[in-house]
Each structure stands twice: as C-alpha cells, then as structure tokens.
C-alpha cells in the first residue's frame, strides 16, 4: 500500500517507516523540512497543523504526530488541529483507512493538557466516518525516548548524591517497546483490524522499580530521597518555568496518575512476544 504517514520522522516514526518498507509498502512521509529517510520512502513537504494535506494516490494514513512538551508547537495544534486537517485531506482524496496514535490515559478532566488534547484527537477520529484504529500506548521505551532517556536518566545520572523519589514511588507503569508499537500499527493495517486498543508491555513496574532498573543499567547506586507530593505540587509549577525543565506540569500529572492497563488478547494477536524492558535498556541507556 501507499501509506501517508504524519510524524514519520519522530520517535515512533523512525521505527514504523522502515517496517512499512520491509513489508513492501511505500511510506509517504509528511514533514515541514527535508529529512533523511530510508530508501523507498517518499518525502512530502507540509505542515499538518497549518494546512490540509493532499493525499491523492494514498490508500491509508497513519497519524503519529505528538509532543510531550509545548514550545513553538502547542498540544492543541499537534494533537487536535493536525488530526482534523488529516481527516479533511482524507475525505477530499477518498482515502478511507486511518490509524491513529493516541496515549494510554487520554481522557477529559485529567488536568493534563497532553491527555485532554489527545482525547480530543480521538474524538475527531471516531467522528470522522472513516475506518479507524486507535492505539493508546503506555510509556514507550527505546533509543531516543523521552521518559527513560531523559527524565529518569537525569534523575539517576545527575550531580545529586541521591535520587529524588516522588511520593512513595508506587505509581504503576507498563512500558512498551517502540518496535512493538510499530509492529502493532503495521499488523493492524495489513489485517484490517479496527477499534481502540491499549498498547502495553509484558510487565508492570512501580515508578521506584523503574528508577532501580535505570540505576542497574547505568551502573549507579544512589539512595532514594522521598519528596512529598505536597512539596512537589509547589515545586513543579516553578520548575516548569525553566526553558529545559526536568519535569513539566503535564508530565507530573501523568506521573502521579500512573500509566498501566491489562495486556489484551487482541494486542497479543498483533504483537505475540512483547519485548521486555530489560532486553532493550542496556543497548542505549548510559550516563
């Protein structure tokens, strides 16, 4: 198939585009600037947040675009307006198949603009009249990830003689490997699987356990220093004012809520052997 991909140069896109090519598909990758793409992928210039794209010649579309921190781009522009523009472009071109990446925990009323705009994006997809699949991944790990490669790594590898532990550290997570996320998309595309699915890994961890795994991986051993949620509630808004805040307000809200779900038979049918965290972290995580 000729597959129109939004977000094909991002974290998940860098795993998805080569897999599409391996399966014999042609990815049509939309981005604002020219990017190095694998041979066989086609670059299309455009800004999904500002314009309706031309999908003539495409047979399906995949929307991966997402941000975890606002800057020049906003959550609303990327998670909502971009989805609207893609849906309109698909209608104009007569493309009826859409696969969309949301986020586990996306819903209204969370206090997280990330989650709430992701939920709005889901609503746009469900009301589109297209044949759609929505995947809602938990924390995604792999080379270049934000949570393990930046947030947790900074806590463990920073200059402090201790590792700050938010609250009691019992918030649950079920991280999923980026390669498994890409596989789920491609399998669903090829099999015509429709519906909404939570993408999670094979094991659940507490936040404290994740920090322990990172310490083991990078060879650091530091004591934990628990910081009460009351104090964190005061500190995080102040830290968020920094240009390179170690933890944003949205990340803090999501962290306190945890991020886990059961591993369903439907997802196991797409990804029969979910990749354990311990198999991947040593390959890219270093202080």
């Amino acid at each position: 198939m000729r597959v129109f991909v939004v977000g094909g140069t991002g974290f998940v896109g860098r795993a998805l585009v080569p897999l599409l090519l391996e399966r014999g598909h042609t990815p049509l990758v939309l981005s604002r600037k020219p990017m190095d793409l694998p041979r066989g992928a086609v670059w299309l210039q455009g800004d999904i947040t500002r314009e309706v794209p031309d999908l003539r010649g495409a047979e399906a579309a995949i929307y991966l675009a997402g941000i975890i921190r606002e800057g020049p781009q906003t959550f609303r522009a990327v998670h909502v307006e971009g989805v609207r523009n893609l849906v309109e472009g698909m209608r104009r071109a007569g493309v009826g198949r859409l696969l969309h990446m949301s986020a586990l925990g996306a819903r209204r009323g969370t206090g997280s603009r990330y989650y709430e705009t992701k939920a709005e994006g889901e609503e746009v997809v469900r009301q589109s009249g297209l044949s759609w699949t929505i995947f809602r991944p938990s924390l995604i790990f792999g080379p270049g990830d934000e949570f393990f490669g930046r947030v947790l790594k900074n806590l463990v590898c920073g200059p402090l003689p201790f590792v700050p532990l938010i609250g009691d550290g019992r918030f649950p997570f079920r991280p999923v490997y980026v390669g498994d996320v890409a596989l789920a998309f491609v399998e669903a595309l090829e099999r015509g699987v429709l519906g909404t699915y939570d993408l999670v890994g094979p094991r659940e961890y507490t936040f404290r356990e994740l920090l322990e795994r990172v310490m083991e991986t990078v060879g650091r051993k530091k004591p934990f220093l628990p910081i009460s949620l009351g104090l964190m509630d005061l500190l995080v808004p102040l830290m968020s004012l920094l240009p390179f805040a170690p933890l944003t307000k949205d990340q803090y809200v999501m962290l306190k809520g945890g991020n886990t779900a059961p591993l369903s038979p439907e997802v196991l049918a797409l990804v029969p052997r979910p990749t354990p965290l311990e198999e991947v972290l040593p390959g890219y995580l270093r202080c």
Side-chain angles (χ1 to χ4, degrees), residues 14-147:
R14 291 193 297 272
L16 176 74
V17 168
L19 185 56
L20 286 170
L21 289 165
E22 183 182 316
R23 296 289 190 95
H25 306 296
T26 301
L28 311 173
V29 181
L30 183 76
S31 67
R32 293 186 301 276
K33 299 177 181 178
M35 303 290 290
D36 289 331
L37 296 172
R39 180 176 296 179
V42 178
W43 174 64
L44 301 174
Q45 185 174 24
D47 184 345
I48 196 67
T49 66
R50 296 178 179 272
E51 58 198 19
V52 175
D54 182 356
L55 276 82
R56 286 176 296 181
E59 298 163 80
I62 297 177
Y63 195 92
L64 302 175
I67 57 172
I68 195 63
R69 295 167 181 258
E70 289 187 304
Q73 294 184 318
T74 65
F75 289 134
R76 174 161 297 280
V78 178
H79 300 162
V80 183
E81 299 306 325
V83 181
R84 285 201 180 105
N85 286 338
L86 177 61
V87 167
E88 178 59 28
M90 294 177 69
R91 286 174 177 155
R92 293 181 185 180
V95 180
R97 182 76 172 102
L98 172 61
L99 295 93
H100 176 67
M101 187 169 74
S102 182
L104 186 61
R107 64 185 185 278
R108 302 273 194 164
T110 62
S112 162
R113 288 173 299 167
Y114 174 84
Y115 276 157
E116 293 180 5
T117 53
K118 280 288 191 179
E120 285 188 64
E122 288 188 9
E123 292 166 10
V124 172
V125 172
R126 292 193 179 98
Q127 296 166 8
S128 66
L130 303 169
S131 296
W132 53 264
T133 307
I134 295 173
F135 284 113
R136 311 173 88 220
S138 180
L139 295 172
I140 306 176
F141 64 89
D145 73 59
E146 166 81 10
F147 189 72

Side-chain angles (χ1 to χ4, degrees), residues 11-285:
F11 174 47
V12 175
R14 291 193 297 272
L16 176 74
V17 168
L19 185 56
L20 286 170
L21 289 165
E22 183 182 316
R23 296 289 190 95
H25 306 296
T26 301
L28 311 173
V29 181
L30 183 76
S31 67
R32 293 186 301 276
K33 299 177 181 178
M35 303 290 290
D36 289 331
L37 296 172
R39 180 176 296 179
V42 178
W43 174 64
L44 301 174
Q45 185 174 24
D47 184 345
I48 196 67
T49 66
R50 296 178 179 272
E51 58 198 19
V52 175
D54 182 356
L55 276 82
R56 286 176 296 181
E59 298 163 80
I62 297 177
Y63 195 92
L64 302 175
I67 57 172
I68 195 63
R69 295 167 181 258
E70 289 187 304
Q73 294 184 318
T74 65
F75 289 134
R76 174 161 297 280
V78 178
H79 300 162
V80 183
E81 299 306 325
V83 181
R84 285 201 180 105
N85 286 338
L86 177 61
V87 167
E88 178 59 28
M90 294 177 69
R91 286 174 177 155
R92 293 181 185 180
V95 180
R97 182 76 172 102
L98 172 61
L99 295 93
H100 176 67
M101 187 169 74
S102 182
L104 186 61
R107 64 185 185 278
R108 302 273 194 164
T110 62
S112 162
R113 288 173 299 167
Y114 174 84
Y115 276 157
E116 293 180 5
T117 53
K118 280 288 191 179
E120 285 188 64
E122 288 188 9
E123 292 166 10
V124 172
V125 172
R126 292 193 179 98
Q127 296 166 8
S128 66
L130 303 169
S131 296
W132 53 264
T133 307
I134 295 173
F135 284 113
R136 311 173 88 220
S138 180
L139 295 172
I140 306 176
F141 64 89
D145 73 59
E146 166 81 10
F147 189 72
F148 291 91
R150 179 169 177 159
V151 176
L152 297 194
K153 177 183 170 182
N154 287 346
L155 290 176
V156 168
C157 298
L160 296 175
F162 55 84
V163 174
L165 183 66
I166 299 172
D168 59 11
R170 294 182 183 177
F171 320 115
F173 295 91
R174 198 156 184 167
V176 59
Y177 176 49
V178 64
D180 293 342
V181 174
L183 179 60
F185 270 88
V186 175
E187 289 287 341
L189 173 69
E190 294 177 345
R191 300 184 193 188
V193 172
L194 305 178
T196 303
Y197 302 93
D198 295 335
L199 287 181
V200 296
R203 180 179 170 187
E204 184 174 286
Y205 304 82
T206 65
F207 179 62
R208 180 180 181 128
E209 288 172 334
L210 291 178
L211 283 168
E212 290 171 343
R213 293 293 179 276
V214 172
M215 280 196 283
E216 291 171 8
T217 301
V218 300
R220 295 287 178 92
K221 186 64 177 176
K222 295 181 180 181
F224 287 113
L225 179 65
I227 302 176
S228 72
L229 294 181
L231 180 57
M232 288 297 299
D233 289 345
L234 297 174
L235 290 176
V236 169
L238 296 176
M239 289 192 297
S240 295
L241 299 176
L242 300 173
F244 298 100
L247 189 68
T248 68
K249 288 188 288 185
D250 273 277
Q251 287 173 321
Y252 178 57
V253 169
M254 293 186 284
L255 181 65
K256 288 196 297 182
N259 199 257
T260 188
L263 182 55
S264 70
E266 291 83 3
V267 169
L268 281 171
L270 301 174
V271 186
R273 185 190 173 276
T275 306
L277 182 69
E278 291 78 6
E279 285 189 9
V280 178
L281 281 188
Y284 73 96
L285 204 60

